[in-house]
Amino acid sequence: MNAPASAVAVAAPPAEVRASDPELTGIKTLGYANRFSVWDSEFRYDGRVRVGMGVRISKVEYAYYGRDDLSYITAVQVPRGRGGINQEYEVIDVTFLADSDVLTFTLRGDLNVDSAPERGEYSRTYRLGVKVDLSDGSTRTTHVDVEVLWPGYDPNNGRIGRPFVRLSYDTGWGGTPNSQAGFGCVADNGYIADKFIVDLVNPRQDRPNLPGNNSDHVFYQLVHEDGTPSHLTPDPVKLTVKGHSDAGTRNKRILDAVNLLDEGDRPGYYRFLVWPQSTNTSDGKASALSWNPQRPEDAFQLGSVYFRYTAARTAHFSVTPGGPPDVRLTAGGPVGYPGVHLTTHEGPVAEQTVTVTLPQGMGLRFVEQGNPGYQLTVQDSDGATKQFIGRLSPDGQTLTFKVNLALSGKVSESRAWVAVRAVDPTIAGRTSLTFQVGSQTSASTPVEVGAR
């Protein structure tokens, strides 16, 4: 059996699609500094809004203390490509569409969240707000989750000492024209030099008889807005960096110059992602404290690049959970097909990269349906299906596909799903898979695991 037999539901009205698309009603997040230690309390954010014709940004603010009930700080607009070190924003691009404009901006500044975790906590997550006032009198808002880590090792206080990389700031780290110029970097010719700084810290470094007590490398990757990697880094690249446990920056590495144009990369927005690693000096094996380069959510975003950037003119679409019925799985039982529902009112939609990730610790595995191969099935509004063969990550947790979403009309919808089964009879609970379709992310159909 390659697919469930249900047909696609009736299309949602345009208002519902608009409400689900943050670019149309809020702020679309392209990337941001998502994780850093208490030493590096800084804000970096890249976003995009779609507005009425002629509407422009009049003010940008963000939650300086990491809380909506405390003060927001106002950023000052500076020229595109300046890359300063104060509370500033730049309008990177204005793209003119037939009935609207798309405004892309980068934002940077200080934060005051460095008191961070309490006793017994390794980290604390702040939900940081961003507000954009527009010239038509409206205000757009969004929030992003920022994890702030303790930089020390103190197991009695819950400080486990995972390795991390620093978020460089101001001018003390090197870099041109300053240490934070690798975030919101404008590279119209594709050339990037003296921008990406990697400083690796391991609070367990050189502590004897302790797992994960040596760090000497990271993995890094440049990833396009739609989730596809740069030709420069088709897979995460190992970079040798000397780890240390103090707050000094003497062991930092500044990446060599690269040219995305020479690599054959297409214009767009790229995130610079880094996964810190540690090993055990006792046996040389990788430590469980390392961050997994096969898991995008494990990455530290340390920078971003706008390479000859203009906002994509492809149609907007929404991705939502596949809807009822829920998928029910038990070990040794039948295969289930969790998926998502796709809708557009601005089609047709071009081919997209789709990644599907299993939830951790729920005892699920992807099922091969091809001969051989793992498949994503797409069902159009008429009930016709087509299968696409995907690539499985080395850890078996993620599938990646290049897919025609069957959103071929101006107003159209489709469904997409994968095959999974339960393999651990001891696990029970409610969960879901994660689908990233282009730049859109959604949970799948709910999945009930185990007998209930």
Side-chain angles (χ1 to χ4, degrees), residues 276-297:
Q277 304 296 300
S278 62
T279 58
N280 311 318
T281 54
S282 60
D283 57 14
K285 293 183 178 179
S287 166
L289 297 171
S290 295
W291 302 82
N292 186 349
Q294 301 301 324
R295 290 174 56 83
E297 61 269 31

Side-chain angles (χ1 to χ4, degrees), residues 138-162:
S138 63
T139 298
R140 301 284 189 91
T141 62
T142 193
H143 289 80
V144 292
D145 292 333
V146 173
E147 185 181 16
V148 182
L149 316 174
W150 269 122
Y153 174 67
D154 184 358
N156 293 327
N157 282 328
R159 302 174 190 177
I160 60 178
R162 289 190 79 175

Side-chain angles (χ1 to χ4, degrees), residues 218-222 229 233-238 273 275 292-294:
V218 302
F219 289 95
Y220 75 90
Q221 191 172 36
L222 271 173
T233 57
D235 295 297
V237 175
K238 183 177 180 179
L273 305 179
W275 293 267
N292 186 349
Q294 301 301 324

Side-chain angles (χ1 to χ4, degrees), residues 296-314:
E297 61 269 31
D298 271 9
F300 290 63
Q301 184 174 351
L302 296 189
S304 61
V305 176
Y306 292 96
F307 167 36
R308 196 172 286 275
Y309 182 86
T310 57
R313 295 175 181 270
T314 55

Side-chain angles (χ1 to χ4, degrees), residues 49-192:
V49 294
R50 185 167 168 179
V51 298
M53 297 170 66
V55 174
R56 296 294 178 262
I57 295 172
S58 58
K59 185 168 71 171
V60 176
E61 302 172 278
Y62 65 94
Y64 178 70
Y65 293 98
R67 290 170 49 184
D68 283 343
D69 61 341
L70 297 176
S71 297
Y72 271 57
I73 193 167
T74 300
V76 175
Q77 184 175 3
V78 297
R80 177 183 184 272
R82 168 171 153 170
I85 61 172
N86 297 309
Q87 284 64 249
E88 301 171 344
Y89 76 93
E90 301 170 15
V91 175
I92 299 296
D93 176 69
V94 179
T95 295
F96 303 103
L97 302 181
D99 60 351
S100 58
D101 296 341
V102 181
L103 314 178
T104 304
F105 67 97
T106 187
L107 168 65
R108 55 184 172 266
D110 293 330
L111 279 178
N112 192 350
V113 297
D114 46 3
S115 58
E118 302 290 345
R119 181 181 177 88
E121 294 180 333
Y122 161 64
S123 69
R124 177 183 292 181
T125 298
Y126 288 84
R127 195 157 176 78
L128 267 66
V130 178
K131 297 180 183 178
V132 173
D133 288 353
L134 299 171
S135 60
D136 64 359
S138 63
T139 298
R140 301 284 189 91
T141 62
T142 193
H143 289 80
V144 292
D145 292 333
V146 173
E147 185 181 16
V148 182
L149 316 174
W150 269 122
Y153 174 67
D154 184 358
N156 293 327
N157 282 328
R159 302 174 190 177
I160 60 178
R162 289 190 79 175
F164 62 91
V165 282
R166 302 288 303 274
L167 178 63
S168 57
Y169 55 86
D170 294 347
T171 60
W173 303 62
T176 302
N178 54 63
S179 303
Q180 60 193 49
F183 230 114
C185 170
V186 174
D188 287 334
N189 61 0
Y191 183 67
I192 309 165

